Amino acid sequence: MIAAVIPRFGPPDVLEVREYPTPTPMAREVLVRVHASALNRADLLQRIGRYPAPPGWPGDVPGLEFAGEVAATGSDAVRWRTGDRVFGLVGGGAHAEYVVVHESTLVRIPDAMTWHQAAAIPEAFFTAHDAMITQGALRPGERVLVHAVASGVGLAAVQIARAWGAHPYGTSRTATKLPAAVAAGMIDGVALPDSLDPLAAAIARWTDGHGMDLTIDLVGGAYLPASIAGASLHGRLILVGAVAGARAEVDVRQILSKRLTLRGTVMRARTLEERIIVASAFESDILPRLATGALVPNIDSVFALAAIVDAHTRLETNETVGKVIIEMPPR
Ligand SMILES: NC(=O)c1ccc[n+]([C@@H]2O[C@H](COP(=O)([O-])OP(=O)(O)OC[C@H]3O[C@@H](n4cnc5c(N)ncnc54)[C@H](OP(=O)(O)O)[C@@H]3O)[C@@H](O)[C@H]2O)c1
């Protein structure tokens, strides 16, 4: 098969698209012929040597999500038949024509959905649903703040918040991205191009001084203390990403006196059992809404696998709104 390979760490142009051994499905595994995948920050970090694949996943082929069709099944796999359209998450290796995954981590793609649309879903919607609903316990009527709201995960979070009867607000460093979040259901947003100072007043205005019930922090760094300051009594903060920095100074007294809950989360390092639980929760809560069009994928751009260098370069601009899709060559 053909795959995007990281032969050495460095800028986007270290990536090579070349022949790579096709994996073989064992016992309860399924071989999926990938039609489309998508790009994530983790792929950029892996390429520069700062985010190695967890044990058991390819170390030199990035790619955390895929949409494709079942090409073969292992000897004990019973859930899927050749030709079934499936999507899901992997710990690596999805920027390739084939991936091997456990049959219980796969989810069926709704019939009306294109490969590109399907590939825009797993990381964004699994992550947003798991952070906001499973871990964040979002309830109807609550106010939720999403940082980097026009990101892939951010736009999924906004839609899910609306679908759960909550009130989503958001931040972006880029004012021109906010209308896309409003179109996805965001009530209001604030642009923070230079400083986080405007955030406190925005939160006070949006919540009548109550503070945010739930914050989905996709960026970290200085956003953490600002989120703590803006949280309500008993507020919950789910820390999902660290593009704005891995370190922050927080006022511990605010965490104590507001009796806040802070949780960190990561998808990639989860065990098989945890992956199955996440896929199953997505399947029951999110998939039906995607099938009816109540929730929709958000695509920024589409690149052929052969143009993987351009895809990495595009994501690194920070100009994207939604997902960067990687299209596999036709067979
Ligand atoms: N924990 C997990 O399992 C998991 C899974 C998926 C994603 N993530 C993380 O969740 C975040 C969103 O992922 P995604 O794929 O949806 O992202 P994305 O589409 O690549 O968008 C990320 C956005 O973050 C903003 N940003 C970048 N650097 C920033 C900085 N220094 N300060 C503030 N904002 C900055 C940029 O938008 P603006 O500056 O224009 O606002 C950028 O477009 C990322 O941090 C990613 O690593 C975590």
Side-chain angles (χ1 to χ4, degrees), residues 41 123 151-153 172-174 177 218 240 244 265 267 318:
R41 297 273 150 176
E123 270 292 339
S151 63
V153 179
S172 172
R173 294 181 305 180
T174 314
K177 290 185 182 180
L218 301 178
V240 186
T265 185
M267 280 284 166
N318 285 321

Side-chain angles (χ1 to χ4, degrees), residues 129 133-134 163-164 279-290 295:
H129 174 255
I133 308 301
T134 307
W164 260 250
S280 162
F282 166 89
E283 193 168 28
S284 50
D285 274 2
I286 300 296
L287 192 67
R289 292 175 160 100
L290 287 165
L295 298 175

Side-chain angles (χ1 to χ4, degrees), residues 232-304:
S232 68
L233 187 68
H234 298 299
R236 292 101 64 207
L237 288 81
I238 311 293
L239 315 182
V240 186
V243 280
R247 295 186 180 276
E249 190 172 309
V250 301
D251 184 339
V252 175
R253 289 165 305 181
Q254 288 183 346
I255 302 174
L256 303 183
S257 60
K258 292 186 184 182
R259 283 161 273 162
L260 301 181
T261 302
L262 270 68
R263 288 182 78 149
T265 185
V266 67
M267 280 284 166
R268 191 182 193 187
R270 292 194 189 187
T271 64
L272 173 60
E273 290 69 26
E274 291 170 322
R275 286 172 177 275
I276 292 171
I277 290 167
V278 168
S280 162
F282 166 89
E283 193 168 28
S284 50
D285 274 2
I286 300 296
L287 192 67
R289 292 175 160 100
L290 287 165
T292 62
L295 298 175
V296 296
N298 298 282
I299 296 176
D300 173 80
S301 45
V302 180
F303 293 85

Side-chain angles (χ1 to χ4, degrees), residues 84-85 87 108-115 117-118 287 290-292:
D84 283 347
R85 283 161 36 97
F87 56 177
R108 189 179 299 278
I109 298 172
D111 289 341
M113 201 169 269
T114 67
W115 296 120
Q117 290 170 329
L287 192 67
L290 287 165
T292 62

Side-chain angles (χ1 to χ4, degrees), residues 7-33:
R8 62 187 182 285
F9 301 135
D13 63 6
V14 299
L15 292 163
E16 292 176 4
V17 177
R18 58 168 155 87
E19 289 285 338
Y20 197 88
T22 305
T24 307
M26 310 298 285
R28 294 195 55 198
E29 291 178 338
V30 170
L31 179 70
V32 176
R33 191 203 142 199

